[in-house]
Amino acid sequence: MQVLEFIASNGAWSWIVAGLILLALELVVPGGVLIWLGAAALVTGLAVLLVPIYWPLQFVIFGVLALAAIWAWLRLRGQGKPSDRPFLNDRAQRFVGQVAVLNEPIEGGSGRLALDDTTWRITGPDLAAGVRVRIVEANGAVLRVEAA
């Protein structure tokens, strides 16, 4: 109840101070959400400075502004130019569809395959060394292959 009493007694300035605190926290804890909460608090504070608004409506205004700002940010931040390295955090996916030659046989459904500078664990039918295989799936760090 102390927060409600504080907001009721200080009105707009409590929203402005809260907005500035949220904006400052965004500098310390980056993530993008606190900046929109801070902006919503500042706009609510400015609205209360201009027009006297009863405190329950102040919370409604803040909530609507905060939700709208975060929703818009989430919708717009995903748009932009496509990545020049789409498989940066999922290196195994870039090998799907490629053909390689086994340097070691696949025995018991598993084996190893050297691609670029890494030796990958592979699964697939038992095949002899020197057979060409196509990588058909990447499941974590395990590639599933079939005879090409």
Side-chain angles (χ1 to χ4, degrees), residues 24-105:
L25 282 174
E26 178 65 33
L27 295 173
V28 178
V29 186
V33 175
L34 294 178
I35 193 167
W36 302 113
L37 295 177
L42 287 174
V43 170
T44 302
L46 293 174
V48 174
L49 270 178
L50 298 174
V51 178
I53 301 172
Y54 192 55
W55 65 265
L57 186 56
Q58 293 176 22
F59 279 101
V60 171
I61 292 170
F62 170 73
V64 168
L65 288 173
L67 289 175
I70 291 173
W71 178 81
W73 174 66
L74 290 174
R75 294 279 303 197
L76 296 176
R77 80 172 172 162
Q79 298 174 355
K81 67 177 187 174
S83 173
D84 59 339
R85 294 193 276 172
F87 301 121
L88 179 64
N89 291 325
D90 195 3
R91 290 184 12 181
Q93 285 296 326
R94 70 179 172 165
F95 295 118
V96 174
Q98 288 188 11
V99 176
V101 177
L102 291 175
N103 14 1
E104 297 180 19

Side-chain angles (χ1 to χ4, degrees), residues 16 37-39 46 55 59 78 92 94 105-106 111 115 122 127 130 134 141 148:
I16 292 172
L37 295 177
L46 293 174
W55 65 265
F59 279 101
R94 70 179 172 165
I106 299 176
L115 295 169
I122 57 172
L127 297 169
R134 179 180 320 281

